[in-house]
Amino acid sequence: MKKLFLMSTMCLLGTLGNVLRAQNRTHVLSSDRTSLVVTTNDGGTAYYQYFGPKIKESDIRGFFGVQSNYTGNTLPLFGMYSSGEKALAVETPDGHMSLDLGMQNLERTDDEKGELLILTFKDRVYPVTVKQYFRRYKDTEVFSTWTEITNQAKKGNVKLLTFASACVPLTRGDNYLTQFHGGWGCEGRMSEERIPNGQSVIADKAGLRNAFGANAGFMISVNGKPSENSSEVFGGNLLWSGNYKTKIIADNNSLSVISGINEETSTLTLKAGETFRTPEFAMAFSQEGKGGVSRAFHRWGRKYGLAHGDKPRDILLNSWEGVYFNVNQEVMDQMMADIASLGGELFVMDDGWFGDKYPRDNDHTSLGDWMVCKKKLPLGIEGLTEAARKHGIKFGIWIEPEMVNTKSELYEKHPEWVLSQPNRPLIQGRGGTQAVLDLCNPKVQDYVFSITDNLLTENPDIAYIKWDCNADIMNYGSTYLPANEQSEIYIRYHQGLHKVLDRIRRKYPDVVIQLCASGGGRMGYGLLPWFDEFWTSDNTDAYQRIFIQWGASHFYPAIAQASHVSASPNHQTGREVPIKFRFDVAMSGRLGMEIQPKNMSAEEKEFSGRAIAAYKKIRDVVQLGDQYRLISPYDNGSVAALMYADENKGHAVVFAYRMDYLHNQSVPKVRLDGIDVDKNYRIKDLTPRNADRPCNLDGKVVSGRILKYAGLNVSHALGRPWTSVALELTAE
Ligand code: GLA
């Protein structure tokens, strides 16, 4: 019976018919629920055998022989015995282009993040070695793999033409690919299609904002359209901040995923003795559907993938949509007083505060001149931190340190610091004057570090930084890099940026830093290890945010998703929705506000104060708990619902939204997948529209079985357009 189960669930990674010859060795890396099996052949090659539900080492033997015709080479090489897609292609110092690697060494070890299997391969003739890493992340269900390629020649260059991080075989079946595409203001739009024979590609070539057009996270189902809680699903995500490319290659019998830095126009040169490390490709497998993969990535993200993932976040007011560029001491002070009176804990002054010769009154000038605009803020930043202290809240500030406007003192002094092409006009972005600083250049790295360093040393009370990036690489050229290294800009930029961020984090480990790129343009794990959260989208329309946050939640936990209540009509879409709906949507992520409180009505303020107080009660559940997506806005036009539960399922919160309204339209029951069926739960309406009139579910005690199998009937609470509920469930 057990064997049968194993065979039917051996969804990924078949095997080689000819494994287990004398010198073959089998290596099993196992988490609580998942195993990765690789076999190696001393002096030869390594093969993936399995990635799926946990198996024991003793299960392995019976497995070989029932699976066959499978070529799951962990590192397909270009040039010998080869056709098809390759993970690695190089050119050796004498212009030779094939690789023939044999395994020289194998190491199993532990590091602070978990367990490692490290295979070292050496070319039989040419001076190239490759180390291939497989990691099981401790206390999570996430595994990863990457390589290190070294030019062992005494002299001469090795060129890297293709250098994927991973080539993972999956089992071909009725596979579906779930992926996320979008653009400014509509990040993370989910699409789900059956995988055809041929190639499907998820790629980015923007240079900087690598999560707009596509997101690096994707899922592949094993058999049929994936469900949230019961299908078998593989999830992968490349942990890289720059251009990436993931190919899903399928034919009648096989399916594999190759993922890595997008090597198009990015040939890398390794000088004698140099090593290049590819970014990690993280992967998870779950029998609990897409939700299972998401929860695995959320847990992993909080533990390893983002900064301070175990620390609940402050409730903040950001000044952008409230006053845009019109910041000054008086208005900032008023906004701080208002958010403090509503129960907020942090105020963030957004764009508009800097520029001396050129004050930042709009987006045409001043990026690069990170000195306070004395006209607007005569008391300097100290005046603001002082005001924050007075109001009993923390203070944060916006910067966009990788950028410069050509109308700025910095550009006047250092025009050579921007990415540009000699003999061609400079293409300028936002405001008609924005350019990207050349982070390949160590001097520019020092400068970018100094922006944050100066701000934080001069103003140690700054508790939060919003780090923005509102451009892509528009001019492909570096005046710093020599002619024969120009093809490395897309990669060297990011290595430079990572060095800067390392320095910042070494010196300022505690400051909270938000990753923003015109909204969610950098929503990904490539940069999140240095950041606490990302600005999910410049689009703050609560209705569209349901979709955006739904997409984002497939790989990124709620604690990382900045989600702000803004004005109605919404500034991006013009949609008018009630304050309760806006809060109920924002409360399902890291709650904040992005509004001029002065312009809110008395009722809106009264409601906001109550909602903020309510959020504080469930903040830990939302930000540190497990998420269950219950009713997809993509499947059901009228209602979307999701929930969070703490680890022992004693405390949970459910959000449900009415997204369109037709009279007598049926409202689906919300079945609470994340509940413990053996517990009884008391329901509390967290955000009643009127304080003394909670919804009809408030105060009821309901068994977990009913909540899970029959579901919550929210038709009364969601009986009108733009209605919503936020319900706290406490086990009795
Ligand atoms: C970007 C960000 C916004 C805001 C503006 C300021 O668009 O995404 O949140 O900070 O820049 O210019």
Side-chain angles (χ1 to χ4, degrees):
M1 182 62 202
K2 190 159 170 230
K3 253 191 193 147
L4 256 181
F5 166 78
L6 267 179
M7 285 182 53
S8 68
T9 54
M10 280 217 176
C11 41
L12 304 175
L13 313 186
T15 184
L16 274 183
N18 64 348
V19 290
L20 285 194
R21 287 198 303 263
Q23 72 277 44
N24 279 3
R25 290 192 264 171
T26 304
H27 316 279
V28 184
L29 295 177
S30 287
S31 60
D32 283 353
R33 277 181 275 168
T34 315
S35 295
L36 171 69
V37 182
V38 169
T39 50
T40 55
N41 179 316
D42 292 347
T45 329
Y47 295 93
Y48 282 111
Q49 303 295 348
Y50 178 84
F51 184 51
K54 186 170 184 170
I55 54 177
K56 293 196 289 261
E57 305 234 353
S58 56
D59 291 321
I60 294 297
R61 276 179 186 273
F63 179 51
F64 299 123
V66 287
Q67 299 278 313
S68 62
N69 301 328
Y70 193 84
T71 48
N73 190 326
T74 58
L75 200 62
L77 306 170
F78 178 77
M80 289 181 70
Y81 327 105
S82 66
S83 59
E85 288 296 323
K86 302 300 167 206
L88 191 57
V90 306
E91 190 184 308
T92 63
D94 56 359
H96 188 84
M97 283 186 58
S98 76
L99 272 176
D100 185 18
L101 300 180
M103 200 188 76
Q104 299 294 303
N105 189 45
L106 182 152
E107 191 187 344
R108 272 191 88 146
T109 181
D110 290 320
D111 67 4
E112 76 288 358
K113 290 181 177 167
E115 194 184 356
L116 285 167
L117 169 66
I118 309 167
L119 311 178
T120 305
F121 300 93
K122 189 173 179 325
D123 191 274
R124 292 186 169 85
V125 178
Y126 292 94
V128 178
T129 55
V130 179
K131 272 187 167 190
Q132 187 169 33
Y133 290 78
F134 302 89
R135 174 182 273 149
R136 172 185 70 78
Y137 275 94
K138 202 163 52 188
D139 303 325
T140 75
E141 293 297 319
V142 169
F143 293 66
S144 75
T145 181
W146 71 97
T147 62
E148 279 172 12
I149 309 148
T150 303
N151 174 2
Q152 302 285 8
K154 294 258 169 343
K155 63 180 202 310
N157 296 335
V158 167
K159 275 194 197 150
L160 303 187
L161 310 171
T162 302
F163 38 96
S165 297
C167 178
V168 186
L170 309 179
T171 292
R172 184 61 165 143
D174 185 17
N175 313 95
Y176 276 71
L177 171 65
T178 309
Q179 54 181 319
F180 306 90
H181 293 271
W184 179 81
C186 63
E187 294 85 344
R189 188 91 197 173
M190 182 171 87
S191 86
E192 203 153 77
E193 302 284 344
R194 178 174 275 131
I195 298 179
N197 281 347
Q199 296 199 346
S200 312
V201 180
I202 304 169
D204 170 76
K205 289 210 75 181
L208 301 186
R209 295 176 297 186
N210 72 350
F212 268 151
N215 194 283
F218 65 94
M219 295 188 191
I220 292 179
S221 72
V222 175
N223 215 347
K225 206 165 191 256
S227 70
E228 274 297 335
N229 287 312
S230 59
S231 322
E232 294 183 318
V233 179
F234 170 92
N237 201 329
L238 189 77
L239 316 183
W240 177 242
S241 52
N243 296 344
Y244 58 84
K245 182 159 74 182
T246 298
K247 284 187 186 173
I248 293 110
I249 303 145
D251 61 23
N252 285 346
N253 304 308
S254 71
L255 175 69
S256 57
V257 169
I258 295 196
S259 184
I261 287 178
N262 193 336
E263 80 286 11
E264 289 169 40
T265 62
S266 280
T267 304
L268 270 180
T269 300
L270 291 183
K271 299 196 183 92
E274 276 184 357
T275 297
F276 180 71
R277 182 188 154 136
T278 62
E280 283 182 70
F281 176 75
M283 55 194 190
F285 174 82
S286 179
Q287 291 180 297
E288 289 175 13
K290 289 183 284 182
V293 171
S294 298
R295 285 185 289 280
F297 268 93
H298 294 171
R299 279 179 177 231
W300 170 85
R302 288 193 300 263
K303 215 169 161 46
Y304 302 102
L306 55 102
H308 314 127
D310 56 350
K311 283 207 186 87
R313 310 301 199 228
D314 291 324
I315 299 164
L316 63 84
L317 171 67
N318 178 293
S319 66
W320 180 241
E321 286 197 28
V323 296
Y324 293 102
F325 293 100
N326 304 316
V327 304
N328 62 49
Q329 176 73 38
E330 204 189 342
V331 172
M332 297 295 96
D333 193 55
Q334 166 258 314
M335 291 179 101
M336 285 191 243
D338 281 346
I339 188 63
S341 74
L342 296 177
E345 300 152 328
L346 164 71
F347 174 74
V348 181
M349 177 174 64
D350 209 283
D351 201 347
W353 61 269
F354 52 95
D356 185 23
K357 181 169 170 191
Y358 304 106
R360 175 81 167 172
D361 294 328
N362 51 46
D363 60 9
H364 302 193
T365 69
S366 326
L367 293 176
D369 300 347
W370 301 104
M371 62 288 270
V372 156
C373 173
K374 278 272 166 4
K375 260 196 269 161
K376 296 180 187 176
L377 299 165
L379 306 177
I381 291 172
E382 174 53 27
L384 300 163
T385 51
E386 178 56 39
R389 252 195 312 277
K390 185 178 80 197
H391 297 301
I393 57 173
K394 297 179 197 164
F395 179 78
I397 196 164
W398 179 95
I399 50 177
E400 196 179 352
E402 297 157 76
M403 302 290 157
V404 63
N405 287 116
T406 47
K407 200 162 176 197
S408 69
E409 292 183 63
L410 179 70
Y411 187 75
E412 286 166 356
K413 229 159 91 195
H414 286 296
E416 79 287 4
W417 276 6
V418 305
L419 288 171
S420 61
Q421 294 150 333
N423 312 319
R424 296 199 190 279
L426 185 73
I427 297 163
Q428 297 171 60
R430 189 183 183 199
T433 56
Q434 184 157 337
V436 180
L437 290 172
D438 180 4
L439 272 161
C440 307
N441 182 344
K443 283 207 181 97
V444 177
Q445 293 167 19
D446 287 344
Y447 165 75
V448 172
F449 170 73
S450 75
I451 296 166
T452 318
D453 190 31
N454 293 343
L455 263 181
L456 293 176
T457 39
E458 285 161 21
N459 308 283
D461 281 352
I462 292 179
Y464 178 108
I465 284 179
K466 175 172 174 179
W467 179 298
D468 212 337
C469 163
N470 288 308
D472 288 312
I473 294 184
M474 299 164 284
N475 303 275
Y476 191 89
S478 163
T479 53
Y480 169 76
L481 292 179
N484 62 354
E485 292 175 27
Q486 291 291 314
S487 69
E488 303 186 3
I489 292 170
Y490 280 136
I491 295 167
R492 299 272 286 268
Y493 182 98
H494 288 274
Q495 290 173 329
L497 175 60
H498 299 175
K499 277 190 198 154
V500 172
L501 294 167
D502 274 341
R503 286 167 72 185
I504 292 173
R505 275 308 185 192
R506 263 199 303 276
K507 195 155 172 197
Y508 306 101
D510 298 328
V511 68
V512 176
I513 316 184
Q514 182 187 75
L515 176 58
C516 177
S518 319
R522 279 178 160 176
M523 186 196 293
Y525 285 118
L527 287 180
L528 274 173
W530 293 279
F531 293 82
D532 297 70
E533 60 178 28
F534 51 82
W535 180 221
T536 315
S537 178
D538 271 352
N539 186 343
T540 55
D541 170 20
Y543 170 68
Q544 199 167 351
R545 272 296 185 112
I546 294 173
F547 290 88
I548 294 171
Q549 294 172 190
W550 195 268
S553 78
H554 281 74
F555 284 90
Y556 311 106
I559 193 171
Q561 286 186 45
S563 186
H564 296 178
V565 172
S566 63
S568 177
N570 179 266
H571 292 191
Q572 293 79 39
T573 63
R575 202 183 319 274
E576 291 185 47
V577 300
I579 187 86
K580 172 170 166 54
F581 193 92
R582 285 178 268 152
F583 260 100
D584 285 350
V585 171
M587 283 168 69
S588 72
R590 195 282 281 135
L591 173 67
M593 296 184 82
E594 179 115 2
I595 196 166
Q596 169 51 290
K598 205 169 71 176
N599 300 337
M600 291 165 72
S601 68
E603 295 93 89
E604 283 183 324
K605 278 193 178 161
E606 186 273 335
F607 182 87
S608 304
R610 278 195 288 118
I612 287 174
Y615 184 75
K616 288 177 183 167
K617 293 199 194 123
I618 46 107
R619 165 166 39 195
D620 283 8
V621 184
V622 171
Q623 296 189 4
L624 306 174
D626 284 323
Q627 188 204 47
Y628 294 80
R629 289 180 296 262
L630 305 173
I631 301 177
S632 169
Y634 290 86
D635 291 346
N636 185 292
S638 65
V639 171
L642 70 159
M643 70 174 289
Y644 297 89
D646 69 0
E647 199 157 2
N648 65 15
K649 300 187 172 171
H651 195 190
V653 53
V654 177
F655 298 97
Y657 312 109
R658 186 77 196 241
M659 304 194 308
D660 87 17
Y661 184 82
L662 293 170
H663 197 61
N664 242 337
Q665 186 183 25
S666 79
V667 172
K669 306 272 184 302
V670 183
R671 295 171 59 162
L672 305 188
D673 292 322
I675 226 71
D676 181 344
V677 291
D678 291 324
K679 292 188 162 95
N680 292 320
Y681 293 87
R682 178 173 292 276
I683 300 176
K684 181 175 164 45
D685 185 349
L686 282 167
T687 53
R689 201 177 176 141
N690 302 308
D692 48 3
R693 264 192 285 144
C695 76
N696 66 322
L697 299 165
D698 185 79
K700 301 243 167 14
V701 177
V702 187
S703 101
R705 262 181 208 92
I706 296 298
L707 291 171
K708 184 158 180 170
Y709 304 142
L712 264 182
N713 184 347
V714 292
S715 60
H716 187 263
L718 302 191
R720 289 271 165 242
W722 303 122
T723 45
S724 54
V725 281
L727 303 172
E728 181 183 26
L729 274 67
T730 312
E732 293 215 319

